[in-house]
Amino acid sequence: MTPLFPTSARVRGPRLDSTFGGLPFDKLQLSTGMLVRSSSQPCVFRCPVASMACREKSDDPTSIVVPSPSEHNVQVISAESREGSWFAWLQVIGAFCVYLNTWGMLNSFGVFQTYYELDGLSSQSSFTISWIGSTQSALFFVATLIVGPLFDLGYFRSLLWVGTALLVVSMFLLSVTSQFYQVLLTQSVLFGLGAGCVFLPAPAVVAQYFDAHLGLAISIASVGSALGGIIYPAIFTSLLASVGFGWATRVIAFVVLGTSLFIVPMKSRTKPGASRSVIDWTAFTDLPYMLLNLGLVFGFMGLYIVTTYFQLYALARTNVTTNVSDNLLIIINTGSLVGRVVLGYFADMVGSINMQTAMALVAAILVFSLLAVHTSAAIIVVAVFLGISSGTFLGLPVASIVRLSDDPSKIGTRIGMTLLFVGIGALISYPIASAILGDGENWLGLILFSGVLLATSTIILAISRIAKIGRQWARPL
């Protein structure tokens, strides 16, 4: 899996027009801390999550107006003078490690799922084991809904330390677990909450130090998610046979601890401000937005299921060797890196919703094709293209939300709501999949279920597009 943030930026003309996946950052309300100022207007700080102390009365509660220098003799730091410094790049390194240890670990859960089902928790049913991954993902998404307002209130350092401590402690405790409830408490609850605490603030702080080169900075940081999905499964599978589950997990815990040291220099540049609402009630009457959410939920569910059970399916239904099966998740995450960076760039041109719709369709076709896959070569090919399509799909939700939101002041709130919807989908997806699979290994039912979810996502996303702009097929959205 890949994080939810696109990765491009540009500057157009005399006015700053930084973009996040081709979207104006003066419209993106996600803790970015961006200052956008014209020659004749005060600086407007458009961010519901990160606030400054100087606030004027306004009809828009999320707009923070900073008086211009000519009015109150306040010095405004230009983009070029504040970005590119060594301290700014330290923020990127810190965010890279956050991506590595949050999304990277979540992307690696498939190897743990395989181990639990075949060895560690083999006495438990597949349905029971599935709650480990679903709870972990759900808490990660749901926690971000609360973390946003806390970050807004100035608790960045607290969130960073608490989240990092939970990540490290959870992995060390996981290494000594032997019972299901112990694994659920450590890997699901503690790790899920810890990841939720540190993930959202990381790109937000990076955005406070970069303007013109923000896309480059975020893209470098987000590489950590794909790299984590490659490194952590490799560590776990290579050490499992030689030193066992305990020490394989402890080595991962030490890596998390060591890389977390690079998070220490991260520092928010904004001062505490007023909190914001976590729910936009008008969103429930916005048909295109609600259709987008429904399409994203089905898409995430379908991709989560197929990537989690991909290794087990390969072992059960193809002639792959154990060595090849151990590397399938690594192949998928490598493909996701390519999809997120390359196709994410082209999404700026064709439209994020258009790209997500196309990738959901490609993923659905690939999932259905698994029914005809029986060889190592074929399963590797599917893994590569599934990684590319899933990486692209999972990397564009924020961009799609902004495309469908007419009120810039509510975009941040809507992003949090979407994460909540996706978290609910993640919570129920694994148990449903495991119930379908059952003890008789009903792989046909599981593949059809995952494929139908992705096909449904494709249709709903296309309808969402039509509901917004009609049948203007050549128009990017």
Side-chain angles (χ1 to χ4, degrees):
M1 304 303 149
T2 59
L4 302 179
F5 299 95
T7 59
S8 64
R10 7 184 149 138
V11 176
R12 297 176 183 169
R15 180 183 178 275
L16 175 65
D17 185 19
S18 296
T19 64
F20 215 175
L23 305 166
F25 251 96
D26 56 351
K27 292 184 179 180
L28 184 57
Q29 313 288 306
L30 187 62
S31 311
T32 57
M34 297 293 295
L35 282 172
V36 179
R37 179 180 183 273
S38 67
S39 58
S40 61
Q41 299 294 330
C43 294
V44 178
F45 187 96
R46 287 284 202 181
C47 181
V49 182
S51 305
M52 301 187 91
C54 181
R55 181 186 297 264
E56 295 184 2
K57 292 182 179 180
S58 172
D59 292 334
D60 182 357
T62 63
S63 297
I64 303 163
V65 181
V66 183
S68 63
S70 60
E71 297 177 59
H72 298 287
N73 196 30
V74 178
Q75 181 180 5
V76 180
I77 302 175
S78 67
E80 290 300 323
S81 65
R82 67 188 176 115
E83 70 175 282
S85 66
W86 65 270
F87 193 74
W89 284 107
L90 281 181
Q91 312 307 304
V92 177
I93 295 174
F96 173 91
C97 293
V98 169
Y99 276 93
L100 181 79
N101 296 330
T102 54
W103 272 105
M105 283 298 298
L106 265 65
N107 290 342
S108 307
F109 181 74
V111 294
F112 288 93
Q113 174 84 16
T114 301
Y115 168 75
Y116 293 146
E117 294 216 13
L118 299 181
D119 190 358
L121 298 175
S122 57
S123 60
Q124 302 291 332
S125 66
S126 178
F127 177 81
T128 301
I129 294 173
S130 67
W131 283 103
I132 299 173
S134 64
T135 304
Q136 181 189 63
S137 298
L139 288 177
F140 170 68
F141 285 117
V142 172
T144 59
L145 189 68
I146 307 301
V147 167
L150 290 177
F151 183 87
D152 183 31
L153 292 172
Y155 291 102
F156 169 68
R157 301 298 296 181
S158 299
L159 290 169
L160 204 63
W161 289 116
V162 171
T164 301
L166 288 175
L167 291 178
V168 175
V169 171
S170 66
M171 293 307 297
F172 276 112
L173 290 178
L174 179 63
S175 68
V176 296
T177 58
S178 59
Q179 303 296 319
F180 168 76
Y181 78 92
Q182 297 170 338
V183 176
L184 184 68
L185 289 175
T186 55
Q187 191 168 17
S188 299
V189 178
L190 290 182
F191 190 90
L193 291 175
C197 285
V198 299
F199 171 68
L200 187 147
V205 168
V206 170
Q208 295 171 7
Y209 289 81
F210 291 86
D211 284 334
H213 303 293
L214 179 60
L216 175 63
I218 293 293
S219 65
I220 293 174
S222 64
V223 166
S225 61
L227 190 61
I230 296 171
I231 292 177
Y232 289 128
I235 293 175
F236 186 79
T237 55
S238 62
L239 294 179
L240 184 61
S242 57
V243 297
F245 174 79
W247 271 108
T249 308
R250 287 186 200 104
V251 169
I252 292 177
F254 278 117
V255 173
V256 173
L257 175 61
T259 53
S260 295
L261 297 177
F262 293 95
I263 303 176
V264 174
M266 296 190 73
K267 181 180 180 180
S268 176
R269 297 180 59 151
T270 60
K271 296 179 181 180
S275 60
R276 62 176 174 86
S277 173
V278 297
I279 299 293
D280 172 23
W281 298 107
T282 63
F284 293 100
T285 60
D286 188 339
L287 181 60
Y289 170 72
M290 293 308 297
L291 286 172
L292 173 67
N293 282 321
L294 189 60
L296 291 177
V297 169
F298 284 134
F300 270 73
M301 290 177 65
L303 290 173
Y304 277 178
I305 290 170
V306 70
T307 53
T308 298
Y309 287 93
F310 198 85
Q311 184 179 358
L312 284 171
Y313 176 83
L315 289 171
R317 297 293 295 270
T318 70
N319 61 358
V320 297
T321 63
T322 303
N323 184 53
V324 172
S325 68
D326 288 344
N327 291 293
L328 287 176
L329 193 59
I330 298 174
I331 295 172
I332 291 176
N333 283 303
T334 303
S336 73
L337 175 60
V338 176
R340 179 162 43 84
V341 174
V342 178
L343 295 185
Y345 171 79
F346 287 105
D348 292 345
M349 305 175 188
V350 303
S352 55
I353 296 179
N354 294 339
M355 182 64 77
Q356 280 194 294
T357 304
M359 290 301 102
L361 177 61
V362 170
I365 294 173
L366 289 169
V367 171
F368 286 128
S369 72
L370 285 173
L371 297 175
V373 170
H374 303 290
T375 64
S376 294
I379 199 71
I380 290 174
V381 170
V382 172
V384 171
F385 286 100
L386 183 63
I388 293 174
S389 58
S390 65
T392 307
F393 182 91
L394 299 175
L396 292 173
V398 168
S400 298
I401 293 169
V402 178
R403 294 283 188 186
L404 295 183
S405 298
D406 296 324
D407 186 352
S409 68
K410 297 179 180 180
I411 293 175
T413 301
R414 290 193 172 193
I415 291 173
M417 293 171 61
T418 298
L419 292 176
L420 175 62
F421 296 143
V422 171
I424 295 173
L427 180 64
I428 65 175
S429 60
Y430 295 139
I432 294 175
S434 64
I436 294 174
L437 184 61
D439 296 331
E441 296 189 345
N442 179 21
W443 290 109
L444 174 62
L446 183 66
I447 294 302
L448 291 177
F449 178 61
S450 179
V452 167
L453 285 173
L454 288 165
T456 304
S457 174
T458 303
I459 296 171
I460 295 176
L461 289 175
I463 296 175
S464 173
R465 182 190 190 282
I466 294 174
K468 183 65 177 179
I469 62 173
R471 299 184 180 183
Q472 303 178 46
W473 305 114
R475 178 179 171 182
L477 182 66

